[in-house]
Amino acid sequence: QTWDKEAFKAELGGIRCHDDEKYLEARSGDYFWYSPILNEQLKDLRGELVVIPQNREEVILVAAAVARHKVPLTLRGGGTGNYGQCVPLEGGVIMDLTRLADVIEITEGHVRVEAGARISRLDDAARETGQELLMYPSTRQMATIGGFVAGGSGGIGSLRHGMLRDPGNVSYVKVVTVEPEPQIITLEGDDIQKVQHAYGTNGIVIELGLALTPSTDWIHTAALFDGYDAALRFACWAQEEGLDCYLLTAVERRFAAYYTKFRDHFPEDRDAIFAMVAPGEMTRFQAEAERRGGRISFAMTKPEIREAGLQPAYECGWNHTTLQALKVDKGWTYLQVAYPRPFDPDLVTRQMDRYGDAMFWHHEMARMEGEIQIFALPLLRFRSKEETYRVIAELEETDGCTIFDPHVVTIEDGGMKEIDDTQIAFKKQADPYGLMNPGKTRGWTDDMVRNDSTSHQGETA
Ligand code: FAD
């Protein structure tokens, strides 16, 4: 489909926009290159115009123009998603929301914020009031809060507070619809699920409310063990004992060569637990690590960590682990694995034996639906698409793990979310022309095909 870009720009009435090749290239991608499969599929795709609204009135003007011109629209925050969520599969307009960044109001236990605010700035603002976010991705520095809610799932803090989708973590979401006369819809309670992890396919999130918790001056620390099994069991102990931590991540010794800043703090002959531990719990943390034959390699506040030239512990877990490895060796890709509950560390030992040098392991302690949930984001030596899917099938069928496939662009195939009729119904309301991030929801495409064939049947009857 073609559209009249010049007429579209003229209707924007001075709203900032760019269409030079460099700008389009920079704003058409995310971290999909973690997957050689997605890289092949997405690397050359480009949007045709980047629009950068400065406030919600401008967002509404752009939404109306998009609907009038029936042009595809891809929303973008920090652009740190891993599955090409920000890639405009069908060209069109890219809306960069990073200027919509006001922290509107912080009260006890709650913050109201605009969607484009960077998570680091938001968390720092909360900290000034003695509070902090319940969770953030390891991309805290670059990612926006709207992008996290629309594209992410959980991360640092999930050990203590569960995943984004767990009740109460997000209190409300305000969404602008894409129609000639855009509406603002407020979703609360369970309705928030309609847009959470929906990849910007059903409404432009402009504002949201999040729960806050009293802040803690977390100690960034690592405990080293002689054996991954010992490290993992220590992390499980800490979680089961309810030790007050914001992060517990087990990283096996083969990653040490990639953690270049840590040198002796993470030597190649030891397996590590990177953690953020409440100051009052450090004695218990250290005593139990030592009782199990481990030792504390460092324990510092965040300013001390920076001063020592190390990275904060939250950049040592979740998908930052993959990034550390990819910076050194581009032959890796990764998988996202959820373990069956209750977690059995012996299964990990069997997996490490089975895959040898083809997979390097790290495990994330989290909580989901009120229960302990262990995830892994292991490195996988990339051989071919077929081999990747053979390993996925084996992990699912032999081990009973659930894989959230990071090598696909659609929400449903990536897991974490089923697109059900309620969500499709909401998309019809928020994006009646199907312009938002087209190609990212199979549920919508299938629904359109179904309706199309029904209406054709009607015509012939
Ligand atoms: P973007 O990538 O810009 O957007 C993500 C999706 O949301 C896109 O589909 C976009 O269209 C949509 N979107 C953006 N803004 C809006 C809006 N206002 N309204 C509606 N839709 C919108 N994710 C985790 O969940 N946990 C982790 O621990 C984690 N660690 C990561 C580590 C690394 C090194 C990398 C590269 C990625 C990681 N991610 C993680 C993925 C990603 O960083 C996060 O999900 C992040 O929060 C996305 O925010 P963003 O602003 O970059 O979103």
Side-chain angles (χ1 to χ4, degrees), residues 31 34 75-82 85-86 97 115 137-139 143-144 146-148 150-155 199-200 203-205 318-320 323 437:
Y31 282 68
Y34 274 33
L75 304 179
R76 184 181 177 89
T80 66
N82 290 112
Q85 292 112 304
C86 275
L97 284 149
S138 59
T139 44
T144 63
F148 186 37
S153 43
Y199 292 7
I204 305 164
V205 177
W318 293 82
N319 230 348
H320 252 80
L323 186 61
N437 223 343

mmCIF file of all heavy atoms in Angstrom, residues 31 34 75-82 85-86 97 115 137-139 143-144 146-148 150-155 199-200 203-205 318-320 323 437, ligand 1:
data_model
loop_
_atom_site.group_PDB
_atom_site.id
_atom_site.type_symbol
_atom_site.label_atom_id
_atom_site.label_comp_id
_atom_site.label_asym_id
_atom_site.label_seq_id
_atom_site.Cartn_x
_atom_site.Cartn_y
_atom_site.Cartn_z
ATOM 1 N N TYR A 31 16.874 -4.991 19.569
ATOM 2 C CA TYR A 31 17.935 -5.972 19.816
ATOM 3 C C TYR A 31 17.578 -7.335 19.233
ATOM 4 O O TYR A 31 17.954 -8.361 19.778
ATOM 5 C CB TYR A 31 18.224 -6.063 21.317
ATOM 6 C CG TYR A 31 19.067 -4.919 21.827
ATOM 7 C CD1 TYR A 31 18.562 -3.625 21.857
ATOM 8 C CD2 TYR A 31 20.367 -5.115 22.267
ATOM 9 C CE1 TYR A 31 19.320 -2.560 22.306
ATOM 10 C CE2 TYR A 31 21.144 -4.064 22.728
ATOM 11 C CZ TYR A 31 20.604 -2.789 22.742
ATOM 12 O OH TYR A 31 21.365 -1.740 23.191
ATOM 13 N N TYR A 34 20.085 -10.453 18.517
ATOM 14 C CA TYR A 34 20.440 -11.563 19.408
ATOM 15 C C TYR A 34 20.093 -12.901 18.734
ATOM 16 O O TYR A 34 20.620 -13.924 19.083
ATOM 17 C CB TYR A 34 19.609 -11.500 20.690
ATOM 18 C CG TYR A 34 20.135 -10.645 21.811
ATOM 19 C CD1 TYR A 34 20.851 -9.491 21.591
ATOM 20 C CD2 TYR A 34 19.876 -11.009 23.125
ATOM 21 C CE1 TYR A 34 21.294 -8.721 22.646
ATOM 22 C CE2 TYR A 34 20.324 -10.250 24.186
ATOM 23 C CZ TYR A 34 21.035 -9.101 23.931
ATOM 24 O OH TYR A 34 21.471 -8.339 24.985
ATOM 25 N N LEU A 75 5.064 1.806 17.350
ATOM 26 C CA LEU A 75 5.448 2.634 18.505
ATOM 27 C C LEU A 75 6.829 2.222 18.980
ATOM 28 O O LEU A 75 7.231 1.073 18.845
ATOM 29 C CB LEU A 75 4.444 2.431 19.635
ATOM 30 C CG LEU A 75 2.994 2.699 19.279
ATOM 31 C CD1 LEU A 75 2.112 2.427 20.484
ATOM 32 C CD2 LEU A 75 2.819 4.133 18.793
ATOM 33 N N ARG A 76 7.493 3.190 19.608
ATOM 34 C CA ARG A 76 8.865 2.929 20.024
ATOM 35 C C ARG A 76 9.198 3.696 21.297
ATOM 36 O O ARG A 76 8.928 4.892 21.412
ATOM 37 C CB ARG A 76 9.766 3.403 18.888
ATOM 38 C CG ARG A 76 11.204 3.136 19.106
ATOM 39 C CD ARG A 76 12.026 3.643 17.950
ATOM 40 N NE ARG A 76 13.400 3.397 18.290
ATOM 41 C CZ ARG A 76 14.038 2.284 18.012
ATOM 42 N NH1 ARG A 76 13.453 1.336 17.336
ATOM 43 N NH2 ARG A 76 15.283 2.114 18.402
ATOM 44 N N GLY A 77 9.775 2.982 22.271
ATOM 45 C CA GLY A 77 10.304 3.633 23.464
ATOM 46 C C GLY A 77 11.812 3.674 23.333
ATOM 47 O O GLY A 77 12.363 4.321 22.444
ATOM 48 N N GLY A 78 12.498 2.916 24.203
ATOM 49 C CA GLY A 78 13.963 2.880 24.147
ATOM 50 C C GLY A 78 14.508 1.989 23.043
ATOM 51 O O GLY A 78 15.711 2.003 22.764
ATOM 52 N N GLY A 79 13.642 1.182 22.427
ATOM 53 C CA GLY A 79 14.092 0.300 21.345
ATOM 54 C C GLY A 79 15.007 -0.823 21.826
ATOM 55 O O GLY A 79 15.904 -1.248 21.108
ATOM 56 N N THR A 80 14.760 -1.326 23.062
ATOM 57 C CA THR A 80 15.630 -2.366 23.605
ATOM 58 C C THR A 80 14.971 -3.747 23.614
ATOM 59 O O THR A 80 15.505 -4.674 24.216
ATOM 60 C CB THR A 80 16.080 -2.035 25.047
ATOM 61 O OG1 THR A 80 14.930 -2.059 25.904
ATOM 62 C CG2 THR A 80 16.766 -0.703 25.133
ATOM 63 N N GLY A 81 13.817 -3.879 22.972
ATOM 64 C CA GLY A 81 13.150 -5.189 22.911
ATOM 65 C C GLY A 81 14.029 -6.197 22.172
ATOM 66 O O GLY A 81 14.908 -5.829 21.398
ATOM 67 N N ASN A 82 13.759 -7.464 22.407
ATOM 68 C CA ASN A 82 14.620 -8.503 21.825
ATOM 69 C C ASN A 82 14.006 -9.243 20.651
ATOM 70 O O ASN A 82 14.668 -10.082 20.053
ATOM 71 C CB ASN A 82 14.975 -9.562 22.879
ATOM 72 C CG ASN A 82 15.913 -9.039 23.924
ATOM 73 O OD1 ASN A 82 15.540 -8.887 25.075
ATOM 74 N ND2 ASN A 82 17.134 -8.745 23.528
ATOM 75 N N GLN A 85 10.118 -6.261 18.241
ATOM 76 C CA GLN A 85 8.809 -5.646 18.526
ATOM 77 C C GLN A 85 8.696 -4.254 17.915
ATOM 78 O O GLN A 85 7.625 -3.783 17.601
ATOM 79 C CB GLN A 85 8.576 -5.499 20.036
ATOM 80 C CG GLN A 85 8.402 -6.770 20.812
ATOM 81 C CD GLN A 85 9.567 -6.990 21.745
ATOM 82 O OE1 GLN A 85 10.702 -7.014 21.280
ATOM 83 N NE2 GLN A 85 9.312 -7.174 23.014
ATOM 84 N N CYS A 86 9.844 -3.566 17.788
ATOM 85 C CA CYS A 86 9.845 -2.187 17.282
ATOM 86 C C CYS A 86 10.098 -2.119 15.786
ATOM 87 O O CYS A 86 10.217 -1.021 15.242
ATOM 88 C CB CYS A 86 10.966 -1.403 17.951
ATOM 89 S SG CYS A 86 10.476 -0.752 19.500
ATOM 90 N N LEU A 97 8.220 7.674 21.426
ATOM 91 C CA LEU A 97 7.465 8.247 22.548
ATOM 92 C C LEU A 97 8.351 8.771 23.672
ATOM 93 O O LEU A 97 7.853 9.113 24.751
ATOM 94 C CB LEU A 97 6.490 7.192 23.081
ATOM 95 C CG LEU A 97 5.284 7.039 22.149
ATOM 96 C CD1 LEU A 97 4.743 5.632 22.154
ATOM 97 C CD2 LEU A 97 4.193 8.043 22.490
ATOM 98 N N ALA A 115 4.311 7.511 29.525
ATOM 99 C CA ALA A 115 4.847 6.226 29.052
ATOM 100 C C ALA A 115 6.294 6.286 28.574
ATOM 101 O O ALA A 115 7.018 5.300 28.637
ATOM 102 C CB ALA A 115 3.965 5.694 27.926
ATOM 103 N N PRO A 137 13.694 -3.990 33.954
ATOM 104 C CA PRO A 137 14.536 -4.877 33.149
ATOM 105 C C PRO A 137 15.993 -4.486 33.363
ATOM 106 O O PRO A 137 16.277 -3.389 33.878
ATOM 107 C CB PRO A 137 14.097 -4.564 31.721
ATOM 108 C CG PRO A 137 13.609 -3.161 31.779
ATOM 109 C CD PRO A 137 13.051 -2.953 33.150
ATOM 110 N N SER A 138 16.911 -5.344 32.954
ATOM 111 C CA SER A 138 18.323 -4.999 33.144
ATOM 112 C C SER A 138 18.716 -3.827 32.229
ATOM 113 O O SER A 138 19.769 -3.236 32.408
ATOM 114 C CB SER A 138 19.210 -6.215 32.925
ATOM 115 O OG SER A 138 19.045 -6.731 31.634
ATOM 116 N N THR A 139 17.845 -3.479 31.293
ATOM 117 C CA THR A 139 18.058 -2.296 30.444
ATOM 118 C C THR A 139 17.518 -1.025 31.112
ATOM 119 O O THR A 139 17.142 -0.075 30.423
ATOM 120 C CB THR A 139 17.346 -2.486 29.095
ATOM 121 O OG1 THR A 139 16.045 -3.032 29.357
ATOM 122 C CG2 THR A 139 18.100 -3.424 28.184
ATOM 123 N N ALA A 143 15.680 1.737 28.657
ATOM 124 C CA ALA A 143 14.286 1.387 28.360
ATOM 125 C C ALA A 143 13.316 2.395 28.970
ATOM 126 O O ALA A 143 13.614 3.039 29.974
ATOM 127 C CB ALA A 143 13.988 -0.010 28.902
ATOM 128 N N THR A 144 12.135 2.511 28.341
ATOM 129 C CA THR A 144 11.080 3.378 28.876
ATOM 130 C C THR A 144 10.069 2.521 29.641
ATOM 131 O O THR A 144 9.956 1.312 29.389
ATOM 132 C CB THR A 144 10.324 4.101 27.744
ATOM 133 O OG1 THR A 144 9.661 3.107 26.934
ATOM 134 C CG2 THR A 144 11.264 4.925 26.881
ATOM 135 N N GLY A 146 6.811 2.686 29.423
ATOM 136 C CA GLY A 146 5.742 2.224 28.516
ATOM 137 C C GLY A 146 6.210 1.023 27.701
ATOM 138 O O GLY A 146 5.457 0.073 27.483
ATOM 139 N N GLY A 147 7.464 1.060 27.247
ATOM 140 C CA GLY A 147 8.024 -0.058 26.478
ATOM 141 C C GLY A 147 8.131 -1.309 27.324
ATOM 142 O O GLY A 147 7.907 -2.425 26.843
ATOM 143 N N PHE A 148 8.448 -1.128 28.609
ATOM 144 C CA PHE A 148 8.546 -2.277 29.520
ATOM 145 C C PHE A 148 7.171 -2.940 29.677
ATOM 146 O O PHE A 148 7.029 -4.155 29.550
ATOM 147 C CB PHE A 148 9.085 -1.797 30.876
ATOM 148 C CG PHE A 148 9.379 -2.890 31.867
ATOM 149 C CD1 PHE A 148 9.904 -4.119 31.470
ATOM 150 C CD2 PHE A 148 9.154 -2.682 33.229
ATOM 151 C CE1 PHE A 148 10.191 -5.113 32.404
ATOM 152 C CE2 PHE A 148 9.442 -3.676 34.169
ATOM 153 C CZ PHE A 148 9.958 -4.892 33.750
ATOM 154 N N ALA A 150 4.559 -2.635 27.685
ATOM 155 C CA ALA A 150 4.006 -3.137 26.418
ATOM 156 C C ALA A 150 4.845 -4.258 25.805
ATOM 157 O O ALA A 150 4.342 -5.050 25.012
ATOM 158 C CB ALA A 150 3.889 -1.980 25.409
ATOM 159 N N GLY A 151 6.133 -4.326 26.176
ATOM 160 C CA GLY A 151 6.988 -5.301 25.500
ATOM 161 C C GLY A 151 7.698 -6.268 26.430
ATOM 162 O O GLY A 151 8.192 -7.296 25.984
ATOM 163 N N GLY A 152 7.767 -5.945 27.722
ATOM 164 C CA GLY A 152 8.553 -6.770 28.648
ATOM 165 C C GLY A 152 7.677 -7.672 29.504
ATOM 166 O O GLY A 152 6.470 -7.787 29.298
ATOM 167 N N SER A 153 8.304 -8.292 30.473
ATOM 168 C CA SER A 153 7.545 -9.205 31.317
ATOM 169 C C SER A 153 7.910 -9.120 32.798
ATOM 170 O O SER A 153 7.058 -9.326 33.660
ATOM 171 C CB SER A 153 7.734 -10.634 30.820
ATOM 172 O OG SER A 153 9.077 -10.877 30.506
ATOM 173 N N GLY A 154 9.150 -8.833 33.107
ATOM 174 C CA GLY A 154 9.580 -8.773 34.503
ATOM 175 C C GLY A 154 11.083 -8.647 34.505
ATOM 176 O O GLY A 154 11.671 -8.348 33.475
ATOM 177 N N GLY A 155 11.718 -8.870 35.615
ATOM 178 C CA GLY A 155 13.178 -8.789 35.612
ATOM 179 C C GLY A 155 13.721 -8.619 37.005
ATOM 180 O O GLY A 155 13.310 -9.316 37.943
ATOM 181 N N TYR A 199 2.828 -5.637 22.626
ATOM 182 C CA TYR A 199 3.747 -5.142 21.583
ATOM 183 C C TYR A 199 3.203 -3.905 20.860
ATOM 184 O O TYR A 199 3.426 -3.747 19.656
ATOM 185 C CB TYR A 199 4.005 -6.224 20.528
ATOM 186 C CG TYR A 199 4.783 -7.446 20.962
ATOM 187 C CD1 TYR A 199 5.118 -7.669 22.283
ATOM 188 C CD2 TYR A 199 5.197 -8.377 20.006
ATOM 189 C CE1 TYR A 199 5.832 -8.806 22.650
ATOM 190 C CE2 TYR A 199 5.914 -9.507 20.368
ATOM 191 C CZ TYR A 199 6.222 -9.717 21.689
ATOM 192 O OH TYR A 199 6.924 -10.843 22.041
ATOM 193 N N GLY A 200 2.464 -3.065 21.544
ATOM 194 C CA GLY A 200 1.989 -1.839 20.887
ATOM 195 C C GLY A 200 1.067 -2.115 19.721
ATOM 196 O O GLY A 200 1.063 -1.385 18.730
ATOM 197 N N GLY A 203 -3.345 0.114 20.878
ATOM 198 C CA GLY A 203 -3.494 1.380 21.584
ATOM 199 C C GLY A 203 -2.146 1.945 21.985
ATOM 200 O O GLY A 203 -1.195 1.202 22.218
ATOM 201 N N ILE A 204 -2.103 3.287 22.002
ATOM 202 C CA ILE A 204 -0.861 3.975 22.370
ATOM 203 C C ILE A 204 -0.935 4.266 23.864
ATOM 204 O O ILE A 204 -1.791 5.041 24.307
ATOM 205 C CB ILE A 204 -0.733 5.304 21.597
ATOM 206 C CG1 ILE A 204 -0.843 5.050 20.095
ATOM 207 C CG2 ILE A 204 0.572 6.018 21.961
ATOM 208 C CD1 ILE A 204 -1.117 6.300 19.265
ATOM 209 N N VAL A 205 -0.072 3.617 24.634
ATOM 210 C CA VAL A 205 -0.066 3.897 26.083
ATOM 211 C C VAL A 205 0.566 5.272 26.273
ATOM 212 O O VAL A 205 1.702 5.508 25.833
ATOM 213 C CB VAL A 205 0.735 2.829 26.854
ATOM 214 C CG1 VAL A 205 0.787 3.177 28.337
ATOM 215 C CG2 VAL A 205 0.133 1.443 26.646
ATOM 216 N N TRP A 318 19.746 -11.716 33.911
ATOM 217 C CA TRP A 318 18.705 -11.649 32.883
ATOM 218 C C TRP A 318 19.369 -11.521 31.506
ATOM 219 O O TRP A 318 20.413 -12.114 31.277
ATOM 220 C CB TRP A 318 17.691 -10.527 33.224
ATOM 221 C CG TRP A 318 16.906 -10.884 34.467
ATOM 222 C CD1 TRP A 318 17.320 -10.721 35.759
ATOM 223 C CD2 TRP A 318 15.637 -11.550 34.548
ATOM 224 N NE1 TRP A 318 16.377 -11.225 36.624
ATOM 225 C CE2 TRP A 318 15.332 -11.735 35.921
ATOM 226 C CE3 TRP A 318 14.710 -12.000 33.615
ATOM 227 C CZ2 TRP A 318 14.158 -12.349 36.358
ATOM 228 C CZ3 TRP A 318 13.532 -12.593 34.051
ATOM 229 C CH2 TRP A 318 13.264 -12.759 35.395
ATOM 230 N N ASN A 319 18.832 -10.696 30.636
ATOM 231 C CA ASN A 319 19.398 -10.735 29.279
ATOM 232 C C ASN A 319 20.685 -9.929 29.127
ATOM 233 O O ASN A 319 21.271 -9.892 28.047
ATOM 234 C CB ASN A 319 18.351 -10.284 28.258
ATOM 235 C CG ASN A 319 18.248 -11.278 27.125
ATOM 236 O OD1 ASN A 319 19.108 -12.155 27.000
ATOM 237 N ND2 ASN A 319 17.236 -11.152 26.301
ATOM 238 N N HIS A 320 21.151 -9.284 30.194
ATOM 239 C CA HIS A 320 22.459 -8.640 30.108
ATOM 240 C C HIS A 320 23.570 -9.686 30.041
ATOM 241 O O HIS A 320 24.644 -9.424 29.514
ATOM 242 C CB HIS A 320 22.685 -7.685 31.274
ATOM 243 C CG HIS A 320 22.631 -6.256 30.849
ATOM 244 N ND1 HIS A 320 21.457 -5.587 30.661
ATOM 245 C CD2 HIS A 320 23.626 -5.391 30.513
ATOM 246 C CE1 HIS A 320 21.720 -4.366 30.256
ATOM 247 N NE2 HIS A 320 23.025 -4.221 30.152
ATOM 248 N N LEU A 323 24.124 -10.312 26.543
ATOM 249 C CA LEU A 323 24.832 -9.175 25.932
ATOM 250 C C LEU A 323 26.335 -9.246 26.230
ATOM 251 O O LEU A 323 27.160 -9.030 25.337
ATOM 252 C CB LEU A 323 24.230 -7.868 26.456
ATOM 253 C CG LEU A 323 24.741 -6.569 25.839
ATOM 254 C CD1 LEU A 323 24.455 -6.544 24.326
ATOM 255 C CD2 LEU A 323 24.085 -5.360 26.493
ATOM 256 N N ASN A 437 1.398 -1.787 14.511
ATOM 257 C CA ASN A 437 2.414 -2.852 14.484
ATOM 258 C C ASN A 437 1.913 -4.083 13.723
ATOM 259 O O ASN A 437 1.931 -5.202 14.247
ATOM 260 C CB ASN A 437 2.818 -3.216 15.917
ATOM 261 C CG ASN A 437 4.330 -3.397 16.029
ATOM 262 O OD1 ASN A 437 5.014 -3.561 15.015
ATOM 263 N ND2 ASN A 437 4.841 -3.390 17.231
HETATM 264 P P1 FAD B 1 10.718 -0.790 23.075
HETATM 265 O O1 FAD B 1 11.710 -1.833 22.679
HETATM 266 O O2 FAD B 1 10.879 0.561 22.501
HETATM 267 O O3 FAD B 1 9.244 -1.304 22.776
HETATM 268 C C1 FAD B 1 8.826 -2.572 23.179
HETATM 269 C C2 FAD B 1 7.428 -2.843 22.604
HETATM 270 O O4 FAD B 1 6.507 -1.984 23.232
HETATM 271 C C3 FAD B 1 7.301 -2.565 21.103
HETATM 272 O O5 FAD B 1 6.418 -3.498 20.542
HETATM 273 C C4 FAD B 1 6.687 -1.175 21.034
HETATM 274 O O6 FAD B 1 5.926 -1.021 19.863
HETATM 275 C C5 FAD B 1 5.823 -1.166 22.272
HETATM 276 N N1 FAD B 1 5.692 0.159 22.881
HETATM 277 C C6 FAD B 1 6.672 1.018 23.248
HETATM 278 N N2 FAD B 1 6.140 2.109 23.818
HETATM 279 C C7 FAD B 1 4.788 1.933 23.805
HETATM 280 C C8 FAD B 1 3.688 2.722 24.239
HETATM 281 N N3 FAD B 1 3.858 3.906 24.819
HETATM 282 N N4 FAD B 1 2.433 2.232 24.054
HETATM 283 C C9 FAD B 1 2.215 1.018 23.492
HETATM 284 N N5 FAD B 1 3.227 0.247 23.051
HETATM 285 C C10 FAD B 1 4.494 0.694 23.214
HETATM 286 N N6 FAD B 1 12.875 -7.420 29.231
HETATM 287 C C11 FAD B 1 12.334 -7.810 30.397
HETATM 288 O O7 FAD B 1 11.100 -7.899 30.491
HETATM 289 N N7 FAD B 1 13.141 -8.130 31.456
HETATM 290 C C12 FAD B 1 14.488 -8.043 31.412
HETATM 291 O O8 FAD B 1 15.161 -8.267 32.402
HETATM 292 C C13 FAD B 1 15.087 -7.649 30.181
HETATM 293 N N8 FAD B 1 16.432 -7.547 30.068
HETATM 294 C C14 FAD B 1 16.958 -7.144 28.864
HETATM 295 C C15 FAD B 1 18.355 -7.035 28.733
HETATM 296 C C16 FAD B 1 18.927 -6.656 27.527
HETATM 297 C C17 FAD B 1 20.413 -6.514 27.432
HETATM 298 C C18 FAD B 1 18.092 -6.376 26.415
HETATM 299 C C19 FAD B 1 18.674 -5.933 25.115
HETATM 300 C C20 FAD B 1 16.715 -6.464 26.545
HETATM 301 C C21 FAD B 1 16.135 -6.849 27.758
HETATM 302 N N9 FAD B 1 14.742 -6.925 27.920
HETATM 303 C C22 FAD B 1 14.214 -7.335 29.100
HETATM 304 C C23 FAD B 1 13.855 -6.493 26.835
HETATM 305 C C24 FAD B 1 13.588 -4.944 26.893
HETATM 306 O O9 FAD B 1 14.761 -4.269 27.236
HETATM 307 C C25 FAD B 1 12.552 -4.562 27.917
HETATM 308 O O10 FAD B 1 11.360 -5.261 27.755
HETATM 309 C C26 FAD B 1 12.300 -3.037 27.912
HETATM 310 O O11 FAD B 1 11.541 -2.709 29.017
HETATM 311 C C27 FAD B 1 11.630 -2.517 26.688
HETATM 312 O O12 FAD B 1 11.488 -1.110 26.848
HETATM 313 P P2 FAD B 1 11.745 -0.123 25.633
HETATM 314 O O13 FAD B 1 11.366 1.252 26.040
HETATM 315 O O14 FAD B 1 13.111 -0.299 25.103
HETATM 316 O O15 FAD B 1 10.662 -0.691 24.641
#
